[in-house]
């Protein structure tokens, strides 16, 4: 059986001192029973390198190098040992106006460096209420994966936008349904089985029931992973 994947997306949190104590707390406590991927902010990536968990970046630019002040390239990430990159997160889509085409270019650039994109897709509450969830997700998948050769070199994350940071989550049946939709779409198109994570308000109280859904391959945790003790308790619950 594949190991369940736990992604900790620390977002724009932690000072250097806090990142150091986070690392001190978790570094010897993460076993290899799970595939744990820690995604700290860019300045702390090298600090988090070389432990039992994998290193993930929260973002990347689509080009290799050049005059792009403030950006970080896939080549740079690869050179410091990053293995996974979150892409298409709704915060980047909404706040930084990243569209599917840009996300598609980023995925190509990530794959070119043999890193694994963790591609996030998901619907708004309005779209869900209007029964448009699968249409919206299909559109995102089509555009984000356009002209790509997908083998099992990508991980997907279903992240309903209304569930992110809100304390609300879909029901198990709703999660199962979208997971299956994504898996079937990929399977029909590329004849492969990919791993799909759930993300959005995962916490100590719901992680076990979400990860136990038969077609959920893991979870992407934001807010609840910022406290290292909280992360460790969640890992204990699912190990
Ligand atoms: P959350 O964030 O766990 O705080 O809802 C998840 C995410 O943004 O990926």
């Amino acid at each position: 059986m594949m190991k369940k994947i736990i992604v900790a997306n620390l977002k724009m949190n932690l000072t250097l001192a806090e990142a150091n104590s986070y690392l001190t707390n978790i570094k010897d406590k993460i076993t290899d029973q799970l595939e744990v991927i820690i995604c700290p902010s860019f300045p702390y990536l090298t600090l988090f390198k070389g432990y039992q968990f994998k290193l993930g970046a929260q973002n990347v630019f689509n080009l290799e190098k050049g005059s792009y002040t403030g950006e970080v390239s896939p080549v740079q990430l690869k050179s410091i040992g990053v293995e996974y990159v979150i892409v298409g997160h709704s915060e980047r889509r909404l706040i930084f106006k990243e569209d599917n085409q840009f996300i598609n270019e980023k995925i190509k650039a990530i794959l070119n460096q043999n890193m694994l994109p963790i591609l996030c897709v998901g619907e708004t509450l309005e779209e869900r209420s209007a029964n448009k969830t699968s249409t919206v997700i299909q559109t995102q998948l089509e555009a984000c994966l356009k002209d790509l050769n997908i083998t099992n070199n990508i991980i997907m994350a279903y992240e309903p936008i209304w569930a992110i940071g809100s304390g609300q989550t879909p029901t198990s049946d709703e999660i199962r349904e979208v997971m299956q939709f994504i898996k079937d779409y990929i399977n029909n198109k590329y004849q492969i089985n990919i791993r799909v994570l759930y993300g959005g308000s995962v916490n100590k109280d719901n992680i076990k029931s979400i990860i136990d859904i038969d077609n959920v391959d893991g979870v992407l945790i934001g807010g609840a992973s910022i406290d290292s003790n909280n992360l460790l308790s969640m890992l204990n619950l699912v190990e």
Side-chain angles (χ1 to χ4, degrees):
M1 237 184 52
M2 289 291 256
K3 289 180 195 174
K4 296 273 186 181
I5 302 173
I6 312 283
V7 182
N9 175 11
L10 303 183
K11 306 197 180 181
M12 196 176 69
N13 292 291
L14 308 184
T15 61
L16 176 59
E18 288 163 346
N20 268 311
S21 33
Y22 191 100
L23 181 61
T24 305
N25 194 19
I26 64 165
K27 65 180 184 193
D28 299 322
K29 300 196 187 103
I30 294 189
T31 66
D32 60 1
Q33 267 158 280
L34 297 163
E35 186 171 339
V36 178
I37 303 162
I38 309 281
C39 307
S41 300
F42 284 138
Y44 313 135
L45 278 168
T46 50
L47 196 68
F48 279 74
K49 186 186 162 181
Y51 297 98
Q52 193 63 263
F53 49 83
K54 305 282 178 59
L55 194 56
Q58 300 173 19
N59 185 30
V60 70
F61 195 52
N62 63 323
L63 299 175
E64 291 191 359
K65 64 176 181 177
S67 304
Y68 304 99
T69 305
E71 291 300 322
V72 174
S73 84
V75 176
Q76 293 175 311
L77 292 181
K78 179 74 179 183
S79 77
I80 58 166
V82 167
E83 292 181 71
Y84 301 78
V85 185
I86 298 173
V87 66
H89 193 283
S90 62
E91 284 155 15
R92 301 235 39 110
R93 292 177 190 258
L94 297 171
I95 305 169
F96 302 99
K97 311 286 177 239
E98 294 191 5
D99 62 13
N100 287 327
Q101 192 193 328
F102 190 37
I103 294 165
N104 174 258
E105 286 166 20
K106 288 187 177 201
I107 297 174
K108 284 182 190 154
I110 296 165
L111 291 174
N112 270 339
Q113 294 307 316
N114 293 317
M115 296 185 290
L116 266 93
I118 302 173
L119 170 61
C120 305
V121 294
E123 81 288 1
T124 63
L125 197 53
E126 293 68 37
E127 289 160 347
R128 174 163 280 277
S129 311
N131 277 325
K132 287 194 186 139
T133 302
S134 42
T135 322
V136 168
I137 288 177
Q138 178 156 343
T139 307
Q140 290 172 344
L141 289 172
E142 257 157 30
C144 292
L145 300 179
K146 190 163 178 281
D147 299 330
L148 283 177
N149 179 21
I150 296 297
T151 52
N152 46 11
N153 52 3
I154 187 164
I155 297 173
M156 299 282 318
Y158 167 48
E159 299 219 309
I161 296 169
W162 52 275
I164 296 177
S166 67
Q168 285 179 287
T169 52
T171 64
S172 297
D173 283 344
E174 287 168 338
I175 294 176
R176 183 182 293 108
E177 196 183 328
V178 180
M179 291 282 146
Q180 204 52 49
F181 178 82
I182 296 172
K183 290 182 178 203
D184 289 347
Y185 173 88
I186 299 286
N187 194 274
N188 287 334
K189 194 152 175 191
Y190 304 96
Q191 288 75 50
I192 52 158
N193 299 314
I194 50 148
R195 295 178 291 170
V196 187
L197 316 179
Y198 168 79
S201 292
V202 173
N203 59 38
K204 264 194 287 198
D205 299 327
N206 61 23
I207 188 166
K208 178 83 178 120
S209 58
I210 292 176
I211 218 160
D212 281 347
I213 299 172
D214 48 14
N215 59 4
V216 168
D217 299 300
V219 288
L220 200 163
I221 314 170
S225 69
I226 294 164
D227 177 318
S228 55
N229 285 325
N230 213 21
L231 175 69
L232 291 172
S233 337
M234 288 186 286
L235 297 179
N236 277 331
L237 287 168
V238 298
E239 246 163 23

